[in-house]
Amino acid sequence: MLTQTQTTEYLLRQRLGLTSYIACVTRNYHLAEDVYQEICVKALSRDEVFETADHLISWFRVCARNRAIDVIRSREGRYVGLSVDALSALEREWDAMSQRHSSDDRREALAKCMQSLTPRSREIVKMRYFENRSCSEVAAFMGSKIESAYQAIARIHKSLGQCVRQQMEGLNA
Protein backbone atom coordinates (compact mmCIF):
# COMPACT_ATOMS: atom_id res chain seq x y z
CA MET A 1 0.00 0.00 0.00
CA LEU A 2 1.25 3.43 -0.91
CA THR A 3 1.11 6.22 1.62
CA GLN A 4 0.00 9.66 0.54
CA THR A 5 3.63 10.81 0.64
CA GLN A 6 4.74 7.89 -1.55
CA THR A 7 1.87 8.58 -3.96
CA THR A 8 2.87 12.25 -4.19
CA GLU A 9 6.54 11.44 -4.73
CA TYR A 10 5.77 8.84 -7.39
CA LEU A 11 3.38 11.12 -9.29
CA LEU A 12 5.99 13.87 -9.29
CA ARG A 13 8.71 11.48 -10.50
CA GLN A 14 6.41 10.26 -13.28
CA ARG A 15 5.22 13.76 -14.23
CA LEU A 16 6.92 13.90 -17.62
CA GLY A 17 5.70 10.48 -18.73
CA LEU A 18 2.16 11.05 -17.49
CA THR A 19 1.96 14.51 -19.01
CA SER A 20 3.31 13.12 -22.29
CA TYR A 21 0.65 10.44 -22.25
CA ILE A 22 -2.07 13.03 -21.64
CA ALA A 23 -0.61 15.21 -24.41
CA CYS A 24 -1.08 12.27 -26.79
CA VAL A 25 -4.78 12.43 -25.94
CA THR A 26 -5.16 16.21 -25.95
CA ARG A 27 -2.56 17.23 -28.54
CA ASN A 28 -2.11 20.32 -26.38
CA TYR A 29 0.65 20.53 -23.78
CA HIS A 30 -1.05 23.18 -21.65
CA LEU A 31 -4.29 21.22 -21.46
CA ALA A 32 -2.26 18.10 -20.64
CA GLU A 33 -0.64 19.95 -17.72
CA ASP A 34 -4.06 21.06 -16.46
CA VAL A 35 -5.42 17.51 -16.63
CA TYR A 36 -2.28 16.14 -14.93
CA GLN A 37 -2.70 18.56 -12.03
CA GLU A 38 -6.41 17.85 -11.70
CA ILE A 39 -5.89 14.08 -11.61
CA CYS A 40 -3.04 14.46 -9.09
CA VAL A 41 -5.42 16.29 -6.78
CA LYS A 42 -8.03 13.57 -7.34
CA ALA A 43 -5.47 10.84 -6.58
CA LEU A 44 -4.35 12.49 -3.37
CA SER A 45 -7.86 13.23 -2.13
CA ARG A 46 -9.11 9.65 -2.58
CA ASP A 47 -10.24 7.79 0.51
CA GLU A 48 -8.91 4.53 -0.91
CA VAL A 49 -5.16 3.94 -1.06
CA PHE A 50 -3.26 2.53 -4.00
CA GLU A 51 -1.95 -0.98 -3.58
CA THR A 52 1.16 -0.51 -5.75
CA ALA A 53 2.81 2.04 -8.02
CA ASP A 54 1.52 0.07 -11.02
CA HIS A 55 -2.02 0.34 -9.66
CA LEU A 56 -1.56 4.10 -9.24
CA ILE A 57 -0.25 4.60 -12.79
CA SER A 58 -2.96 2.43 -14.33
CA TRP A 59 -5.66 4.30 -12.42
CA PHE A 60 -4.08 7.66 -13.26
CA ARG A 61 -3.94 6.99 -17.01
CA VAL A 62 -7.56 5.87 -17.20
CA CYS A 63 -8.76 8.88 -15.21
CA ALA A 64 -6.57 11.29 -17.17
CA ARG A 65 -7.63 9.87 -20.54
CA ASN A 66 -11.32 10.10 -19.62
CA ARG A 67 -10.98 13.60 -18.18
CA ALA A 68 -9.01 14.86 -21.19
CA ILE A 69 -11.59 13.49 -23.62
CA ASP A 70 -14.41 15.05 -21.55
CA VAL A 71 -12.70 18.45 -21.56
CA ILE A 72 -12.11 18.31 -25.31
CA ARG A 73 -15.72 17.27 -25.96
CA SER A 74 -17.03 20.12 -23.80
CA ARG A 75 -14.81 22.65 -25.60
CA GLU A 76 -15.03 21.38 -29.17
CA GLY A 77 -18.21 19.31 -29.19
CA ARG A 78 -16.44 16.06 -30.06
CA TYR A 79 -13.18 14.20 -29.57
CA VAL A 80 -11.10 13.50 -32.64
CA GLY A 81 -7.93 11.80 -31.56
CA LEU A 82 -6.35 8.46 -30.88
CA SER A 83 -8.78 5.59 -30.41
CA VAL A 84 -9.09 3.76 -27.10
CA ASP A 85 -7.31 0.79 -28.74
CA ALA A 86 -4.41 2.99 -29.88
CA LEU A 87 -4.12 4.56 -26.42
CA SER A 88 -4.17 1.11 -24.82
CA ALA A 89 -1.40 -0.05 -27.14
CA LEU A 90 0.57 3.07 -26.26
CA GLU A 91 0.11 2.37 -22.55
CA ARG A 92 1.33 -1.21 -22.94
CA GLU A 93 4.41 -0.06 -24.83
CA TRP A 94 5.20 2.62 -22.25
CA ASP A 95 4.76 0.10 -19.44
CA ALA A 96 7.13 -2.35 -21.15
CA MET A 97 9.64 0.42 -21.86
CA SER A 98 9.52 1.73 -18.29
CA GLN A 99 10.39 -1.74 -17.03
CA ARG A 100 13.50 -1.76 -19.23
CA HIS A 101 14.71 1.80 -18.59
CA SER A 102 14.15 4.58 -16.12
CA SER A 103 12.64 7.86 -17.28
CA ASP A 104 15.86 9.58 -16.17
CA ASP A 105 17.84 7.40 -18.60
CA ARG A 106 15.47 8.26 -21.46
CA ARG A 107 15.46 11.95 -20.57
CA GLU A 108 19.27 12.01 -20.52
CA ALA A 109 19.40 10.15 -23.86
CA LEU A 110 16.93 12.59 -25.41
CA ALA A 111 18.92 15.57 -24.11
CA LYS A 112 22.09 14.17 -25.72
CA CYS A 113 20.23 13.52 -28.95
CA MET A 114 18.75 17.02 -28.97
CA GLN A 115 22.31 18.38 -28.86
CA SER A 116 23.16 16.35 -31.95
CA LEU A 117 20.46 18.16 -33.96
CA THR A 118 21.33 21.17 -36.05
CA PRO A 119 20.53 24.54 -34.47
CA ARG A 120 17.67 24.94 -36.97
CA SER A 121 16.17 21.56 -36.04
CA ARG A 122 16.46 22.38 -32.33
CA GLU A 123 14.62 25.66 -32.98
CA ILE A 124 11.87 23.80 -34.83
CA VAL A 125 11.46 21.40 -31.89
CA LYS A 126 11.41 24.33 -29.47
CA MET A 127 8.77 26.17 -31.48
CA ARG A 128 6.53 23.17 -32.01
CA TYR A 129 6.72 21.43 -28.65
CA PHE A 130 7.79 23.99 -26.08
CA GLU A 131 6.08 27.07 -27.49
CA ASN A 132 3.11 25.08 -28.88
CA ARG A 133 3.38 26.84 -32.25
CA SER A 134 1.35 25.60 -35.20
CA CYS A 135 2.95 23.93 -38.20
CA SER A 136 2.09 26.98 -40.28
CA GLU A 137 4.15 29.12 -37.89
CA VAL A 138 7.01 26.62 -38.13
CA ALA A 139 6.71 26.77 -41.93
CA ALA A 140 6.92 30.57 -41.82
CA PHE A 141 10.07 30.32 -39.69
CA MET A 142 11.52 27.86 -42.19
CA GLY A 143 10.49 30.05 -45.12
CA SER A 144 8.72 27.12 -46.75
CA LYS A 145 5.34 25.50 -47.31
CA ILE A 146 3.47 23.80 -44.50
CA GLU A 147 4.06 20.38 -46.12
CA SER A 148 7.79 20.99 -45.81
CA ALA A 149 7.36 21.82 -42.12
CA TYR A 150 5.51 18.53 -41.55
CA GLN A 151 8.25 16.65 -43.39
CA ALA A 152 10.97 18.40 -41.37
CA ILE A 153 9.21 17.56 -38.10
CA ALA A 154 8.78 13.93 -39.21
CA ARG A 155 12.50 13.71 -40.07
CA ILE A 156 13.42 15.21 -36.69
CA HIS A 157 11.16 12.68 -34.91
CA LYS A 158 12.74 9.82 -36.83
CA SER A 159 16.25 11.07 -36.12
CA LEU A 160 15.57 11.57 -32.42
CA GLY A 161 13.86 8.18 -32.15
CA GLN A 162 16.82 6.40 -33.74
CA CYS A 163 19.30 8.31 -31.61
CA VAL A 164 17.43 7.62 -28.34
CA ARG A 165 17.11 3.90 -29.20
CA GLN A 166 20.87 3.75 -29.86
CA GLN A 167 21.60 5.56 -26.59
CA MET A 168 19.32 3.18 -24.67
CA GLU A 169 20.82 0.11 -26.33
CA GLY A 170 24.23 1.40 -25.23
CA LEU A 171 23.00 1.37 -21.64
CA ASN A 172 22.00 -2.28 -21.98
CA ALA A 173 25.37 -3.32 -23.42
Side-chain angles (χ1 to χ4, degrees):
M1 295 216 171
L2 297 177
T3 66
Q4 190 164 16
T5 300
Q6 290 170 321
T7 300
T8 303
E9 289 172 354
Y10 195 74
L11 288 173
L12 290 173
R13 266 188 277 137
Q14 298 299 316
R15 180 182 165 275
L16 181 61
L18 292 169
T19 305
S20 298
Y21 170 77
I22 300 165
C24 288
V25 177
T26 63
R27 296 177 300 171
N28 178 314
Y29 177 77
H30 300 293
L31 179 55
E33 274 288 323
D34 291 345
V35 170
Y36 168 80
Q37 292 173 14
E38 184 177 334
I39 302 303
C40 281
V41 169
K42 188 174 181 177
L44 295 171
S45 61
R46 276 175 43 124
D47 290 333
E48 300 171 32
V49 296
F50 296 99
E51 295 296 322
T52 64
D54 289 341
H55 175 223
L56 169 62
I57 293 303
S58 177
W59 176 90
F60 192 99
R61 285 185 183 147
V62 170
C63 287
R65 176 181 62 215
N66 293 339
R67 181 62 185 142
I69 290 171
D70 288 346
V71 169
I72 291 168
R73 283 183 179 148
S74 71
R75 289 182 181 181
E76 300 173 16
R78 64 189 175 112
Y79 173 70
V80 180
L82 296 174
S83 69
V84 172
D85 290 340
L87 289 169
S88 295
L90 183 61
E91 288 175 24
R92 284 190 303 274
E93 181 60 29
W94 276 354
D95 287 341
M97 194 174 192
S98 68
Q99 291 173 2
R100 292 189 302 263
H101 306 289
S102 77
S103 59
D104 290 339
D105 291 341
R106 285 190 299 277
R107 192 174 309 123
E108 188 176 311
L110 179 59
K112 286 179 184 176
C113 293
M114 284 290 294
Q115 293 306 311
S116 72
L117 294 176
T118 65
R120 182 174 187 233
S121 292
R122 280 195 303 271
E123 185 62 25
I124 290 169
V125 169
K126 178 181 159 202
M127 290 175 71
R128 186 72 180 114
Y129 299 105
F130 292 91
E131 297 173 2
N132 206 24
R133 304 268 188 101
S134 68
C135 276
S136 60
E137 291 174 297
V138 172
F141 164 77
M142 293 172 57
S144 62
K145 296 180 182 179
I146 195 164
E147 292 82 11
S148 298
Y150 281 118
Q151 288 176 349
I153 291 168
R155 282 193 301 274
I156 292 168
H157 278 204
K158 184 177 179 180
S159 172
L160 286 173
Q162 289 171 339
C163 180
V164 168
R165 275 190 293 283
Q166 289 172 346
Q167 293 280 328
M168 299 309 285
E169 287 170 5
L171 290 175
N172 288 338

